[in-house]
Amino acid sequence: MQPVVMLMGGRISPVDECLAVFLRQAGGAGARVAILPTACDNPQVVHAYAKGLLLLGLRHSPFILPIWERAQAEDRILLRILSHINGLLILGGDIARLLSVVQGSRLHHALQQAINNGAVIAGISAGAAALGTIVLYSVLRLDVPGYWRPGLGLLSNTIIVPHFRQRRRQMILMRVLMQFPAWVGLGIDEATAALINGEGIHSIGSGWVALMATDALPLHQLGRSLPWMIHLHPGQSLTWGAVPVQSLPMIIDNRKPCRRLPPVTGTADVMFHFFKQ
């Protein structure tokens, strides 16, 4: 089955519409679902999401992976669970802790294998941002040393920014992308998710999903580049072929059949915004 990734921008309740879509994509009531709570330091929140999935129709309690330290991320026996799941939910919280525990570990490799095997990988807030190629640590000043660090890279050439409009991160993402031509930035509002597969991207929830890049315009051939942005409103879809950039965040293997996106429930209009440098 074609890999599917869901990126949630934060403020996702345990019974949110976005989680209901995650559950359907993972296989519905009979799905085998796990939760990775590493970034979250509140056990009550972790168990609230587990209970929420049950309220949304999951028949069997999700397995909460007890991974809080690096040694646990190397546990071969524990990680065998990931080879049998249909969906994994990565909770938000402390992104530094999440990356320090997971990055380069056997768990990291197991995540890559799980998505290649067709499991749906979903992240909330920091859990979503960590799936990109790099992670922004300072969203106010780019001259701060170490303002970005490598992410888990499940989406290649991609920067994922949750809480996008609520925390006014449009300009910071644009400025960072100017340093990474042909990369794609994904800005995701709160109470909103971007569902990504080999066909394209679909917006779920009440907010916007923004795609931004600095490539594929004629001016680029003259040694210049204009950044562009596409806004997807709730329910809108966009196929990858309609995106004006050459290097896309492909998680796909074209030899495998595509898993269908949910039907579009909103208008088909997509807004293109071009910025002057």
Side-chain angles (χ1 to χ4, degrees):
M1 187 68 73
Q2 186 85 34
V4 173
V5 170
M6 283 192 68
L7 309 171
M8 306 183 200
R11 302 285 182 183
I12 302 293
S13 79
V15 291
D16 195 276
E17 172 193 3
C18 298
L19 289 176
V21 173
F22 161 69
L23 185 57
R24 289 197 296 271
Q25 288 287 310
R32 299 182 299 273
V33 175
I35 295 175
L36 181 63
T38 311
C40 182
D41 59 3
N42 189 333
Q44 292 181 342
V45 171
V46 176
H47 288 285
Y49 279 106
K51 182 179 179 181
L53 291 172
L54 293 172
L55 291 174
L56 289 171
L58 187 65
R59 283 200 297 265
H60 306 290
S61 295
F63 185 84
I64 300 173
L65 292 163
I67 297 176
W68 309 100
E69 299 177 357
R70 183 73 178 195
Q72 295 166 323
E74 302 287 355
D75 188 333
R76 293 178 185 269
I77 297 176
L78 182 62
L79 297 182
R80 287 178 186 171
I81 296 168
L82 291 180
S83 65
H84 299 289
I85 64 169
N86 305 116
L88 175 69
L89 179 63
I90 305 174
L91 299 186
D94 187 339
I95 195 168
R97 181 171 63 229
L98 176 61
L99 291 177
S100 65
V101 169
V102 175
Q103 197 166 53
S105 67
R106 287 195 177 98
L107 173 58
H108 190 178
H109 178 72
L111 292 177
Q112 294 170 329
Q113 286 295 112
I115 195 170
N116 291 338
N117 292 337
V120 178
I121 306 295
I124 299 175
S125 188
L131 300 181
T133 311
I134 66 172
V135 171
L136 303 184
Y137 270 65
S138 172
V139 296
L140 298 177
R141 296 179 55 193
L142 296 185
D143 57 344
V144 175
Y147 74 89
W148 65 266
R149 299 181 188 179
L152 299 179
L154 268 65
L155 292 175
S156 62
N157 300 332
T158 305
I159 305 170
I160 301 160
V161 180
H163 309 280
F164 190 56
R165 286 188 300 162
Q166 289 77 15
R167 300 186 184 179
R168 301 180 179 180
R169 291 175 169 175
Q170 296 96 321
M171 294 304 296
I172 187 73
L173 179 56
M174 185 185 77
R175 290 174 62 193
V176 172
L177 286 169
M178 297 298 287
Q179 303 178 46
F180 296 94
W183 284 33
V184 171
L186 289 171
I188 306 166
D189 284 352
E190 295 174 356
T192 305
L195 190 156
I196 298 172
N197 73 1
E199 292 182 337
I201 182 168
H202 182 77
S203 178
I204 301 162
S206 60
W208 290 3
V209 173
L211 290 83
M212 190 184 296
T214 58
D215 197 9
L217 294 175
L219 288 175
H220 184 68
Q221 300 175 2
L222 303 176
R224 300 167 59 194
S225 178
L226 283 177
W228 57 261
M229 180 187 292
I230 302 171
H231 281 155
L232 293 179
H233 293 269
Q236 290 185 330
S237 296
L238 182 70
T239 62
W240 291 125
V243 178
V245 67
Q246 296 175 357
S247 299
L248 293 172
M250 289 293 98
I251 58 171
I252 65 170
D253 180 344
N254 290 327
R255 295 169 298 180
K256 298 179 181 179
C258 291
R259 180 180 297 180
R260 288 287 177 182
L261 290 169
V264 177
T265 57
T267 64
D269 295 333
V270 177
M271 297 190 300
F272 287 75
H273 299 276
F274 296 90
F275 299 88
K276 294 182 179 180
Q277 292 190 47

